Each structure stands twice: as C-alpha cells, then as structure tokens.
Amino acid sequence: MRSASLIVKTSKLDLSGRLTLGVSTITYSPKTLGAQRRHVGSQIRPATLCFRDCRLSCLHSNNITWPKQLGRRSCCKRNFQCQALESNAQLEQRKDIDGQIAWLAVPTIATLAADPVASLVDTAFIGHLGAVQLAGVGIALSVYSTVTKLFNVPLLSVATSSVATAYGEHGGSHKEVSEAASAVLLLAVIVGLCEGVFLLVAGGPGLGLWGADAASAMRPDAWTYLSIRGLGAPFTVILLVLQGVFRGLGDTKSPLWATLICNGVNVVLDAVFIMYFGWGVRGAAWATIIGQAVAALGLFGVLSRRYSISFKGKAALTSAAKFLGPTGLLVLRTMASTATFALATALTARTDSAHAAAHQICLQLWLASSLLADSLAVAAQTLLARSVAARNSAVSQLIALRVLRWGVLLGVVLGGALGASSGILPKLFTSDPAVLAGISAIYPWVILTQPINALAFVWDGVLYGCNGFKYAAKAMAVCAAPAVSCMLLGLEFSGDYDVQLTSVWLGLSLLMVMRCLTIYIPYRLRRSPFDVMFIKQDGA
C-alpha cells in the first residue's frame, strides 16, 4: 500500500514582524499506522491521530489537510498507552511567539526602570540644595506630570498601535509605515507645544492648588523649575512618541539606548550645572531638557535613516488629525484612572501620618512591580496589532494566549517574591513602628493582587492591540465607579484608620479586578473589539 502524507500548513511572525508561511509534511504508511479523523470537506475539526504508542493532538486542525488515502475511520486497537504530543509545527510556532514576546519585553523592562533610577539620582542632587528647593521641585513635578501624563501616555499607546497596524496590514510597506510614523510625530509636536503653552500660562495657579501659593517659600523654586520644564515639553512628548513608533516597528532596543543616553546626559549635567555652576533648580531643569532633546534627536535620526519622515503638506495634517479621536478616548480613560488613584491618596491623607506613609510605601511597591507586567503589555500590543492587521486569526489568538499565560506566571512570581520579603522589604523604607504596623495591615493586599495586576496590564495590551481605544474609555468608567464607592465607604468608619486604609486598598483591588473582567468578557464572547481576532483568513 502506498504511503500517505499529512500536510500541515503553518505560519509565523519573525522578529522583524514579517509574516512567513510554510508547509510541514508528515509521511507515514497506512499499513503500519492507523488514524482517527472526521471529514469536513478537505478540512477537519479537532481530531486525533492515533498511532501504536502515541497520539498527536491537532490544536490548529483547521490548517490541516487530510489525504484521501486514509480511507474511513480506523484506530489503533493494541493496548499501548498513548502520550499526547503537539505537532512540531505548533511547538515551533509557540516557541517563536515566546521568543518575540521576550525580544520586545526585556528591553522594555530596562527602559521603564531606567527613568525611576535617574529620578532618584536627580532627587539626590536637588536634595543637597535644601529642603525648600526639594519640596518646591516636588510640587512642580506633580503639576508637570499631571498635565503631561493625560496626553503623553495615550499618545504612546496610539503611536505603537498605529505603526504596528501599518506594518502588519501592508507587509512592512515603506510608504505606509512612513506615513503612520510621520502622522503621530506631527501630532506629538502639536501636543507638546500646546502642553508647553498651557504650563507657562496656567502653571502658576496650578502650583497654588498644590500648596505653593504666592506667599509660600517654595513658590520661587517651584515656578522656576516648572517654567523651564514647560519650555522643554515638546521634547518630552516627541521622545515618548518616538519610543511608541519604535515599539510598533518591533524595535525596543533603540528606545532603551535612547533612554540610557537621556538619563546619562541628565545625571552628568546635573553635576555640572548644580554642583559646578551653582545654577540650583534651574540647572536641574535644563539638564533634564537637554538630556531629552539629545535622546529625541538621536532616535529621530535612526528613524529617518529607515523611513521617509515628512511633515509637509495638508496630507500630513489630515493624517495626524485621524489620531486625535483615539488619543482623546484614552485621555478620558487616563483621567478616570488618575482620579481613582488621587482619591485613594486623598482619603489616606485624612488618616494620621503613619497610615498615610504606610499607604505611600505600599503604593510605590505596588506600582513598581507593575513595570514588569507593563513590558508584557507592550509586547502584546505590538504583536497583536500586526497579526490582526494581517488578518491572521490563528496567530492572533496564540499571541493572546501566550502573553496572558506569561502574565499569570509573572504575577504569581511577583506575589511570591513580595511575600517572601515581607519581613525585610518594608524596613528598607522606614523604621517607624507605627508606619510598619500600618504596612502590615495592607501588605497582604499588595501580595495577593499581583496576579490580578499583571493580568490587568496584559489585558490592556491585548485590548490596544485590537485598537479597542473606544471600548477602553468606556470600560474604565465602569471599573472606577465601584472602586470609588468602596473607598468612600471607609469614611463611615471615622477614627478607625485601619478600616479606612483597608477600604482604600479594597477599592484599588476592585479596580484591577474590574479591569480584567471588562476586557475578558467581550474577549471570551468574541465581541467587539476582539471580533477582529477571530476573523478567518481568506481561503482558510
């Protein structure tokens, strides 16, 4: 009897984002091997190849063509125990996607971690100037971050998705990618200029709202720092959007080098301007601006050598305008999220100083651990935006599955690490017995919510990869409402600070749970915006 061949069609995305198709053929003799299968034309539903001593489970059976030589259903009748195996094609595809996730996520972790480290060094230099200067710069940074975060973070997400979509939809077309990158960069210039003008005009009243009014001793240093940083706001926005463009291209190493250069220049100039020239807080502000400008120009130079970036003509403005909608939607989402965390801080401020300090320490640990999960979200957004644009449903679903599993694993590892260090880590931040007692009351929340936090960030990446910006804005409002209500219930226990602090952290935990659920439900039901992940390819 003639040998038969099982033809398995496979596909994968390489590290550069290019979609490659291949065919694997398994040849065997029906005389020695039996097979169990179900017919649906030339395709099959989930089925099993049954050999004498093993069984091959076909996970992507819609991509498998069965030969006619197999005849009708038969199976191995010998009493050999079967062992479930995945096909080589599936194993290779899974390894390939895991490699891509690591390729994007690892440099992103370093990029996200570099800024907080540089900020600590920056704070150390300013701290040598005195408590008034340090407090003034702290207030100025709060105002600056509040204004810029509303737009910069949404722009970063929109830039990543738009460039990745252009790359995947048009197979890496130079023209399409160039147009997408040019559009988001032009929007970044416009937004950066608007942020700078707003900070210069409304920065004074903003400092007053944060406690640095005209009579405050902190006001002169705060205004000096904020006004200079306002002049450099365009560089801040452009640098961040350039990072998003490179993420969309699947290149997270270039942004890492740019961030390291930016922070290195900043630290060196801090020493020169503050310690040598004696410029005080002015020196700190100019050091930050120059560092960001150098990094932005460097990244732009690298991008310009790869693609044709142009801001000329009405077409460029039209292209930039189409990204205003998604950016605006994410601005609303950021406002809802920021308001929830601001309420948590405000409510803990109503307790005593020990409980307020305990909250801040736990919150910083909570947020710091999210950096790792955020790197997985970046990988998910980039890879999904490409595969969805290429209408490769099988790859899209596998990417989501793999990155979500990595998210759960990461959350469990982080929770275990925080739990194992519970007797050591809080003492690195304080030795006050009252603060440590407050930490012990809420530290279990920090540990137990790590898997949920990791999943929430990864789900965000999956959502943005499907361009679900409109849904993201609506979902955050749904998530924030019960969280805020839970926090406010703590006010009913006036004087019991432990209960009030617990209600705040219960609210924060509820926020993350709701973030997971509001994204998981439409994904599970294959509803918009995730329906694009389940659209079959032409000819599939």
Side-chain angles (χ1 to χ4, degrees), residues 43-106:
Q43 306 292 316
I44 63 167
R45 296 300 180 191
T48 303
L49 288 177
C50 191
F51 302 104
R52 288 189 175 184
D53 58 350
C54 67
R55 184 169 52 199
L56 177 62
S57 176
C58 304
L59 300 182
H60 296 292
S61 54
N62 62 314
N63 284 337
I64 298 178
T65 302
W66 285 79
K68 295 180 180 179
Q69 295 98 312
L70 285 179
R72 301 187 63 83
R73 174 177 173 178
S74 62
C75 63
C76 178
K77 297 181 179 179
R78 299 193 179 187
N79 294 324
F80 290 99
Q81 183 178 6
C82 294
Q83 180 181 7
L85 297 173
E86 289 181 312
S87 68
N88 290 335
Q90 294 163 356
L91 284 172
E92 287 300 319
Q93 188 177 54
R94 189 177 69 181
K95 290 178 181 178
D96 179 67
I97 289 176
D98 286 345
Q100 293 172 62
I101 293 171
W103 178 269
L104 292 170
V106 173

Side-chain angles (χ1 to χ4, degrees), residues 35-265:
Q36 175 184 339
R37 45 90 174 161
R38 303 187 186 104
H39 277 290
V40 182
S42 62
Q43 306 292 316
I44 63 167
R45 296 300 180 191
T48 303
L49 288 177
C50 191
F51 302 104
R52 288 189 175 184
D53 58 350
C54 67
R55 184 169 52 199
L56 177 62
S57 176
C58 304
L59 300 182
H60 296 292
S61 54
N62 62 314
N63 284 337
I64 298 178
T65 302
W66 285 79
K68 295 180 180 179
Q69 295 98 312
L70 285 179
R72 301 187 63 83
R73 174 177 173 178
S74 62
C75 63
C76 178
K77 297 181 179 179
R78 299 193 179 187
N79 294 324
F80 290 99
Q81 183 178 6
C82 294
Q83 180 181 7
L85 297 173
E86 289 181 312
S87 68
N88 290 335
Q90 294 163 356
L91 284 172
E92 287 300 319
Q93 188 177 54
R94 189 177 69 181
K95 290 178 181 178
D96 179 67
I97 289 176
D98 286 345
Q100 293 172 62
I101 293 171
W103 178 269
L104 292 170
V106 173
T108 303
I109 294 173
T111 303
L112 294 171
D115 281 331
V117 172
S119 296
L120 290 175
V121 177
D122 211 16
T123 301
F125 277 109
I126 298 173
H128 283 86
L129 299 174
V132 173
Q133 288 81 359
L134 183 59
V137 170
I139 293 174
L141 280 173
S142 295
V143 175
Y144 183 85
S145 298
T146 300
V147 173
T148 57
K149 184 180 179 181
L150 287 176
F151 296 95
N152 294 2
V153 174
L155 268 176
L156 173 64
S157 297
V158 171
T160 302
S161 289
S162 60
V163 173
T165 298
Y167 197 106
E169 187 174 1
H170 302 282
S173 168
H174 184 278
K175 179 183 177 182
E176 302 297 336
V177 174
S178 297
E179 289 179 355
S182 299
V184 293
L185 285 173
L186 179 57
L187 185 59
V189 173
I190 296 172
V191 171
L193 291 172
C194 292
E195 286 181 0
V197 172
F198 182 82
L199 286 168
L200 292 175
V201 173
L207 291 174
L209 291 175
W210 262 262
D213 54 25
S216 173
M218 300 177 292
R219 177 62 175 246
D221 290 308
W223 172 245
T224 297
Y225 188 87
L226 181 62
S227 60
I228 296 174
R229 287 298 305 272
L231 294 174
F235 291 112
T236 304
V237 183
I238 293 170
L239 178 58
L240 201 63
V241 171
L242 278 167
Q243 292 182 10
V245 170
F246 276 91
R247 288 179 181 179
L249 295 173
D251 179 3
T252 53
K253 287 188 176 181
S254 294
L256 171 60
W257 284 110
T259 301
L260 294 176
I261 291 172
C262 172
N263 293 332
V265 171

Side-chain angles (χ1 to χ4, degrees), residues 229-427:
R229 287 298 305 272
L231 294 174
F235 291 112
T236 304
V237 183
I238 293 170
L239 178 58
L240 201 63
V241 171
L242 278 167
Q243 292 182 10
V245 170
F246 276 91
R247 288 179 181 179
L249 295 173
D251 179 3
T252 53
K253 287 188 176 181
S254 294
L256 171 60
W257 284 110
T259 301
L260 294 176
I261 291 172
C262 172
N263 293 332
V265 171
N266 185 14
V267 170
V268 171
L269 291 182
D270 269 340
V272 174
F273 291 163
I274 297 175
M275 309 302 291
Y276 185 75
F277 288 127
W279 288 1
V281 297
R282 288 187 298 121
W286 281 115
T288 300
I289 292 175
I290 294 173
Q292 291 178 345
V294 170
L297 290 173
L299 269 184
F300 184 79
V302 173
L303 182 65
S304 298
R305 286 194 293 270
R306 300 181 187 178
Y307 296 96
S308 302
I309 307 300
S310 175
F311 304 138
K312 297 179 181 179
K314 187 180 295 185
L317 285 173
T318 303
S319 298
K322 71 180 182 181
F323 295 116
L324 286 174
T327 302
L329 291 170
L330 288 187
V331 167
L332 296 176
R333 185 182 189 278
T334 304
M335 290 177 64
S337 176
T338 302
T340 304
F341 280 93
L343 177 64
T345 300
L347 291 176
T348 55
R350 291 174 175 265
T351 63
D352 59 12
S353 58
H355 284 80
H359 169 75
Q360 286 301 321
I361 292 172
C362 288
L363 184 62
Q364 292 308 310
L365 290 172
W366 204 57
L367 296 176
S369 61
S370 70
L371 290 177
L372 296 173
D374 203 19
S375 66
L376 284 177
V378 170
Q381 181 181 1
T382 300
L383 296 176
L384 271 176
R386 291 185 177 185
S387 61
V388 167
R391 297 177 66 84
N392 196 322
S393 60
V395 172
S396 298
Q397 294 168 46
L398 188 56
I399 289 171
L401 178 64
R402 297 305 301 168
V403 78
L404 286 168
R405 286 181 176 177
W406 280 114
V408 172
L409 178 61
L410 175 63
V412 171
V413 171
L414 287 174
L418 288 173
S421 60
S422 59
I424 302 173
L425 199 56
K427 294 179 181 179

